[in-house]
Amino acid sequence: MMRLNNLIIKLKEKKAIVGIVGLGYVGLPLMLRYCEVGYKVIGFDIDQSKVDSLQNGKSYIEHIPSQAIESAVAKGFESTTDFSRVSEADALILCVPTPLNKYREPDLSFVLDTTDSLVPYLRPGQVVSLESTTYPGTTDEELLPRIESLGLKAGKDIYLVYSPEREDPGNPNFSTRTIPKVCGGHTPACLEVGLSLYGQVIDKVVPVSSTRAAELTKLLENIHRAVNIGLVNEMKIVADKMDIDIHEVIRAAATKPFGFVPYYPGPGLGGHCIPIDPFYLTWKAREYGVHTRFIELAGEVNSSMPDYVIAKVASALNLVKKAINGSRILVLGIAYKKNVDDMRESPSVMLMEKLRDLGADISYSDPHLPAFPVMREHHFELSSVPLTPENLSAYDCVLLATDHDKFNYELIKANAKLIVDSRGRYLASADHIVKA
């Protein structure tokens, strides 16, 4: 009890040292928030280049300014690849990726390898919080036995919580502080510590009864989006056959002040959550003999969207007596959503690869990504093409894949020979614009 009270007091008085493990789109904003309110923060990452950038006050994420990093460093923030310093921290927050493997099954290697790196340096009186999206049971089935292998008892010697991240990169309406935070503990004492850990930096912390409830909460949030996007993607195909603009229909339906939330179709799902999270639940559900038909059907519809867009490109080029093979195609926007530089699971890349495999000469333009980044599974030696009248008119087809606000849509419309719009950006019909 004394250990519990001491940790809670340290957290509430901001005397605790907070360790953030994984300094990406989730970990970096969280680090900034803890620094902002006065905690000493140590950032841990296996990527030496990230650590070097942060130590020099430089940001590598577009919507996080370098001035914010400089300010954090001035307040004592340190970043390191030396995991032996884990013992210095009173709280450890894990913000590492949870992708899918090539069989579309959960890949927990980042979480488990990170936990294994922490375990030798854990000590009594620490709290460990996992924020990575995962299936229900990960915290108590995978993290708990690793942590307790040292002889530390969760809820007595060390405290274990799960609190899913809710970052929305590029959304100016919400910040780390203002997005309510769900938190579940392995024991009531763990939950109490978790609420103290996050209560100092988040306006509203929402307690749930267990780590499994918190894990499933995160999956429900993103599966809800995946299923509704699957519905409007299917509606898009029906509307197209009927020669109706689905975006006009969604805008009209959204005027209903109750019972309807607008979701928008696109060329496929992107980001680190919505294309991935449903697979975490469907995989775990099999253990219980449950076949998640509804979720899997939405997944099938969403997964078919890139092929639908490619078919639209082929049809549009066919109308001007051209084939995809040999055509010069400019892809507008390669980030997974507008106004960010985040490439994770971007459908634009899938479109580029499919078009390249069909023989197209591919280029791209993206004001947020001047050079095609190094990715684990995708490779293009390309730089962003400036959008000038001369450049636009040189392409056989311009494919709008991600509708960044920085694009000059009038310039594109006036100079492109053919536009395939997969985002519904062009409201008015035109002979050279094809909705996809």
Side-chain angles (χ1 to χ4, degrees):
M1 183 62 78
M2 185 175 291
R3 185 170 287 143
L4 173 68
N5 290 337
N6 286 344
L7 180 55
I8 288 173
I9 290 168
K10 284 179 85 173
L11 288 166
K12 288 187 174 177
E13 292 182 354
K14 303 182 180 63
K15 293 177 180 174
I17 296 174
V18 176
I20 308 285
V21 187
L23 300 169
Y25 285 90
V26 175
L28 212 53
L30 198 58
M31 173 279 285
L32 292 173
R33 180 64 189 142
Y34 275 100
C35 287
E36 184 184 358
V37 300
Y39 286 91
K40 161 71 178 175
V41 181
I42 304 172
F44 297 89
D45 205 287
I46 58 172
D47 186 339
Q48 186 66 52
S49 65
K50 283 185 177 178
V51 167
D52 292 342
S53 291
L54 295 173
Q55 290 290 85
N56 292 320
K58 299 284 190 293
S59 174
Y60 39 79
I61 295 175
E62 185 187 39
H63 67 273
I64 296 176
S66 290
Q67 297 96 296
I69 307 297
E70 290 172 4
S71 174
V73 171
K75 291 174 182 173
F77 167 66
E78 298 176 76
S79 50
T80 181
T81 57
D82 179 7
F83 277 67
S84 69
R85 296 192 62 190
V86 160
S87 59
E88 297 175 33
D90 300 292
L92 292 159
I93 303 175
L94 280 58
C95 309
V96 296
T98 43
L100 299 169
N101 66 19
K102 64 180 179 180
Y103 305 110
R104 309 299 283 170
E105 294 173 339
D107 176 5
L108 289 185
S109 61
F110 292 93
V111 170
L112 302 185
D113 291 350
T114 298
T115 304
D116 290 339
S117 299
L118 302 180
V119 163
Y121 308 108
L122 295 179
R123 57 170 173 78
Q126 288 178 309
V127 54
V128 177
S129 175
L130 177 62
E131 295 212 357
S132 311
T133 303
T134 188
Y135 58 80
T138 301
T139 306
D140 61 76
E141 291 172 357
E142 300 290 351
L143 269 65
L144 179 65
R146 283 171 165 80
I147 290 169
E148 291 196 333
S149 67
L150 288 175
L152 297 170
K153 184 72 177 167
K156 183 183 171 197
D157 303 311
I158 201 162
Y159 305 93
L160 182 61
V161 300
Y162 180 80
S163 181
E165 58 87 6
R166 276 177 169 169
E167 282 296 317
D168 190 11
N171 187 338
N173 299 317
F174 299 100
S175 66
T176 303
R177 194 198 94 208
T178 60
I179 301 169
K181 196 108 170 68
V182 171
C183 185
H186 178 64
T187 68
C190 293
L191 176 59
E192 194 178 347
V193 174
L195 297 179
S196 298
L197 170 62
Y198 290 110
Q200 315 308 309
V201 293
I202 308 293
D203 288 351
K204 182 179 182 182
V205 184
V206 182
V208 292
S209 61
S210 65
T211 55
R212 291 187 174 212
E215 288 161 339
L216 189 56
T217 299
K218 172 64 171 173
L219 293 184
L220 175 60
E221 292 170 17
N222 290 319
I223 289 168
H224 167 262
R225 283 187 61 78
V227 167
N228 280 282
I229 292 169
L231 172 63
V232 294
N233 276 330
E234 193 166 66
M235 290 284 286
K236 172 177 73 172
I237 296 169
V238 175
D240 183 65
K241 295 288 186 186
M242 297 177 174
D243 200 25
I244 300 168
D245 183 350
I246 189 64
H247 290 273
E248 179 187 2
V249 172
I250 294 168
R251 288 194 300 275
T255 62
K256 184 181 179 184
F258 53 88
F260 182 83
V261 176
Y263 288 85
Y264 299 93
L269 292 183
H272 64 111
C273 288
I274 300 172
I276 290 173
D277 293 6
F279 290 95
Y280 274 78
L281 186 61
T282 56
W283 180 83
K284 188 64 175 178
R286 287 184 213 127
E287 184 182 314
Y288 295 86
V290 178
H291 180 39
T292 52
R293 290 176 293 169
F294 207 81
I295 298 168
E296 288 170 46
L297 178 60
E300 287 174 26
V301 172
N302 291 327
S303 296
S304 71
M305 281 303 106
D307 287 327
Y308 176 80
V309 173
I310 298 298
K312 282 289 189 177
V313 172
S315 174
L317 285 167
N318 190 58
L319 289 174
V320 293
K321 297 183 169 54
K322 289 184 179 290
I324 289 179
N325 193 353
S327 288
R328 298 191 69 210
I329 298 177
L330 177 66
V331 176
L332 296 181
I334 59 170
Y336 86 86
K337 71 170 187 172
K338 69 179 185 179
N339 304 336
V340 300
D341 62 347
D342 193 342
M343 289 286 292
R344 290 172 295 177
E345 305 294 323
S346 175
S348 303
V349 182
M350 198 174 298
L351 293 171
M352 291 171 70
E353 288 183 338
K354 286 177 179 289
L355 290 167
R356 180 177 65 183
D357 291 347
L358 290 168
D361 179 5
I362 296 295
S363 303
Y364 86 90
S365 183
D366 192 312
H368 300 275
L369 290 149
F372 195 95
V374 175
M375 301 181 74
R376 280 198 295 270
E377 296 178 10
H378 310 284
H379 183 72
F380 283 89
E381 288 282 348
L382 295 173
S383 296
S384 179
V385 172
L387 292 188
T388 63
E390 297 75 27
N391 285 345
L392 285 162
S393 62
Y395 289 93
D396 299 300
C397 178
V398 172
L399 170 56
L400 177 54
T402 306
D403 55 332
H404 294 305
D405 289 337
K406 286 184 178 179
F407 287 136
N408 184 335
Y409 291 96
E410 284 305 310
L411 177 79
I412 296 164
K413 183 179 178 180
N415 293 281
K417 296 172 186 170
L418 180 64
I419 299 170
V420 176
D421 178 6
S422 74
R423 294 287 184 173
R425 187 77 189 211
Y426 289 102
L427 306 184
S429 297
D431 290 342
H432 69 311
I433 297 176
V434 174
K435 301 288 178 72

